[in-house]
Amino acid sequence: MASSCASSLMISNKVQAAFANFPPTVKGYSRTFTPPPYSSLPTKDFKISTSCYSRRRLISGGRSSKTLTTQAFFFSKQKPKESSRPSKVQEMCVYEINEHDRGSPVYLKLSPKKENSLGDLGPFTNKLYSGDLQKRLGITAGLCVLIQHSPETGKDRFEAIYSMYFGDYGHISIQGAYVLHQDTVLAVTGGSGVFEGVYGTVKLQQIAFPFKFFYTMYLKGIEDLPAELMGKPVPPTATVEPSAAAKAAEPHAAVSNFTD
């Protein structure tokens, strides 16, 4: 910067010295100078000015490498990152059965009205069996909140938030609509253990409310599940029952450390 200013001052002094030799335009008045064409001045002096101008142009108006780098960052097309989560859909079926030994369900009325009303609660917990009814898996545990009472149809609508526990294998979290006497589809919102990172949907079939339910889960985002969770399901009917060994939770008919 100091070198640039010194060069400009030197050129200015030389120009003024050259103009001082010109006669005044009108006698008695101060000198008025008409600048000579640039070609009449020493060429080498303007080489400095030209290089100075070029540097200034690069700084003020030119595209610096920093500017180009910034533009490249914002405008270059980024390749989308491929997800490492498995996209395979695994179909897993389970039975939820109320065996009248867990004090479930409970209905808690929060309104003074005689009929069911918005906000009424229904906590519940039942036993879980594999789809082939040969393995005791664990339990369900959750809460239903009444959203809409429909006395004409008997199909009250609840928002259900609950989990299924599978012993050492972990658990699955579920949320969505639960409608009395009607099949519904809920969302799988997460899980733990072998179900960590899971997502998908669950089809809930009510076989005999509130005692027997059949679930078909379409699970994504996880590795292949253990074979003992994936047995061929028994078609759901009101008369299906777990095997005697599964009911008794015998070691060969229950998952490790099943939740009770």
Side-chain angles (χ1 to χ4, degrees):
M1 183 67 181
S3 175
S4 174
C5 292
S7 300
S8 300
L9 181 60
M10 179 182 67
I11 295 169
S12 177
N13 291 336
K14 289 186 176 184
V15 172
Q16 289 182 13
F19 288 167
N21 296 323
F22 283 86
T25 304
V26 181
K27 186 176 181 180
Y29 288 85
S30 62
R31 296 178 184 274
T32 303
F33 301 106
T34 303
Y38 292 133
S39 59
S40 67
L41 297 175
T43 306
K44 63 179 182 179
D45 292 335
F46 279 90
K47 285 181 180 178
I48 298 173
S49 178
T50 302
S51 62
C52 208
Y53 169 76
S54 300
R55 285 197 298 271
R56 288 175 182 171
R57 185 168 180 269
L58 276 172
I59 294 171
S60 61
R63 292 186 177 182
S64 67
S65 60
K66 184 177 181 181
T67 303
L68 293 174
T69 302
T70 302
Q71 289 180 345
F73 176 79
F74 285 105
F75 295 102
S76 60
K77 292 183 178 180
Q78 300 287 337
K79 291 184 179 180
K81 293 182 180 180
E82 295 183 1
S83 173
S84 59
R85 301 174 70 183
S87 57
K88 175 183 176 181
V89 179
Q90 299 184 66
E91 185 175 316
M92 174 180 166
C93 298
V94 299
Y95 278 93
E96 178 186 11
I97 298 178
N98 185 335
E99 296 181 345
H100 311 282
D101 59 351
R102 302 183 66 84
S104 175
V106 174
Y107 197 82
L108 305 175
K109 293 187 64 63
L110 299 183
S111 170
K113 298 179 181 178
K114 291 183 179 180
E115 67 273 12
N116 296 345
S117 303
L118 176 67
D120 289 352
L121 304 177
F124 66 94
T125 176
N126 295 309
K127 293 180 180 178
L128 273 179
Y129 293 93
S130 58
D132 59 7
L133 293 169
Q134 299 303 307
K135 290 274 186 179
R136 172 73 188 280
L137 302 179
I139 63 169
T140 57
L143 182 70
C144 288
V145 182
L146 181 63
I147 301 301
Q148 184 180 37
H149 176 52
S150 301
E152 298 83 6
T153 63
K155 295 182 178 181
D156 286 2
R157 182 183 184 88
F158 294 82
E159 181 69 11
I161 306 169
Y162 59 111
S163 296
M164 294 182 176
Y165 292 93
F166 301 91
D168 287 347
Y169 288 126
H171 86 286
I172 292 176
S173 296
I174 298 170
Q175 182 174 351
Y178 172 72
V179 183
L180 296 184
H181 313 296
Q182 179 178 311
D183 296 347
T184 52
V185 176
L186 303 92
V188 174
T189 58
S192 66
V194 299
F195 303 105
E196 183 176 356
V198 71
Y199 65 100
T201 56
V202 179
K203 181 181 180 182
L204 165 60
Q205 294 176 257
Q206 299 184 52
I207 304 170
F209 173 81
F211 305 114
K212 200 171 291 183
F213 306 88
F214 182 73
Y215 294 87
T216 305
M217 293 182 273
Y218 303 95
L219 307 176
K220 294 182 283 186
I222 53 175
E223 300 297 333
D224 288 352
L225 291 170
E228 68 176 335
L229 298 178
M230 306 294 286
K232 184 178 179 180
V234 174
T237 65
T239 59
V240 295
E241 290 292 336
S243 67
K247 274 192 171 186
E250 295 179 6
H252 70 281
V255 299
S256 176
N257 292 321
F258 69 92
T259 311
D260 195 6

